[in-house]
Amino acid sequence: MAALAAVMIFAGKAYAQLSVNVGYAPVTYSTETTVGSTVTETTAEMAGFFAGLSYNHSFDGYLGLSLGAQARYNIKQSTGSANFVVVTGDSKSKETQLMLDIPVLFNYGINLNSDAKLVAFAGPTFSYALSGNTHVTTTATVLGATSVTETDYPMYDDGTAYNRMDLSGTVGVELHYAAYRLFGGYRMGFLDLNNNDNIKTTSSGLFIGLGIDL
């Protein structure tokens, strides 16, 4: 699909635009655990922030195709709980992920006036987890003496349960005004991110961002 998009972008004469994008993209991990005939559903949320570039190729002023690349940083800090490991007592956890997203989005725009345009977009987004870690800090007091233990739990090393690859369906709208773009939408993951046979984990989330055409 990426190769097809590249061929379409560079074939023929059409208007192309490079943009810088930043935004907020929290992620929700939904997990179904099956034990016998019992299915348990849980969710875990992380805040997310992204920055990247997109290259939009417009074929006739209305229909276009955008290729992008962005880094996304997910984070969650909590006490007494964590998404990916078991945390006991009053231990504190900090979970972080660094993701690379490659959106391939078809878009269709309608001119509102000479400076403004409303655009709808949809398509797949390919994601790859560059890194992931849960840092747990445990504080214990024994006979008046306080000790602090810090432990890291990698998410994607060999032997861990989570897959690095994800594929999401992405839909949204954006408002263009001069060189600025305000956009937002929703993404829904299609792949099972958990390697265990009786556990299925998928991702989803809203996003909102601001883009500037170069």
Side-chain angles (χ1 to χ4, degrees):
M1 183 172 291
L4 175 60
V7 171
M8 293 177 66
I9 282 181
F10 290 106
K13 295 181 179 180
Y15 175 75
Q17 184 64 60
L18 181 67
S19 301
V20 177
N21 309 302
V22 296
Y24 178 64
V27 60
T28 297
Y29 290 103
S30 301
T31 299
E32 292 184 357
T33 303
T34 303
V35 179
S37 59
T38 302
V39 177
T40 303
E41 298 182 357
T42 59
T43 59
E45 298 180 353
M46 300 181 73
F49 307 89
F50 67 87
L53 298 172
S54 61
Y55 182 85
N56 189 64
H57 187 84
S58 179
F59 299 101
D60 58 4
Y62 298 97
L63 179 64
L65 179 63
S66 173
L67 288 177
Q70 64 185 30
R72 175 162 48 93
Y73 181 70
N74 299 330
I75 184 170
K76 177 184 178 181
Q77 299 187 73
S78 57
T79 299
S81 65
N83 293 340
F84 303 98
V85 300
V86 176
V87 177
T88 59
D90 294 330
S91 298
K92 296 180 180 180
S93 64
K94 179 181 179 180
E95 298 165 286
T96 57
Q97 294 175 315
L98 181 60
M99 316 291 290
L100 174 64
D101 297 328
I102 307 294
V104 183
L105 303 175
F106 292 91
N107 52 81
Y108 187 84
I110 299 176
N111 292 323
L112 301 179
N113 56 43
S114 59
D115 293 321
K117 178 188 288 189
L118 184 64
V119 178
F121 58 84
T125 296
F126 304 89
S127 299
Y128 183 79
L130 299 174
S131 64
N133 185 68
T134 302
H135 183 81
V136 178
T137 302
T138 303
T139 303
T141 302
V142 178
L143 300 177
T146 300
S147 62
V148 178
T149 303
E150 299 189 13
T151 309
D152 288 305
Y153 298 91
M155 297 178 189
Y156 301 108
D157 285 0
D158 293 340
T160 57
Y162 297 97
N163 297 319
R164 292 179 182 268
M165 292 292 299
D166 198 7
L167 171 63
S168 302
T170 303
V171 296
V173 295
E174 60 184 27
L175 177 64
H176 290 217
Y177 185 80
Y180 300 95
R181 299 182 300 110
L182 178 65
F183 60 90
Y186 179 79
R187 65 187 186 278
M188 181 176 65
F190 298 134
L191 302 185
D192 184 2
L193 303 178
N194 198 299
N195 292 319
N196 294 307
D197 293 337
N198 65 321
I199 302 176
K200 179 180 180 180
T201 300
T202 57
S203 66
S204 63
L206 298 170
F207 59 89
I208 186 171
L210 178 66
I212 302 176
D213 296 337
L214 301 179

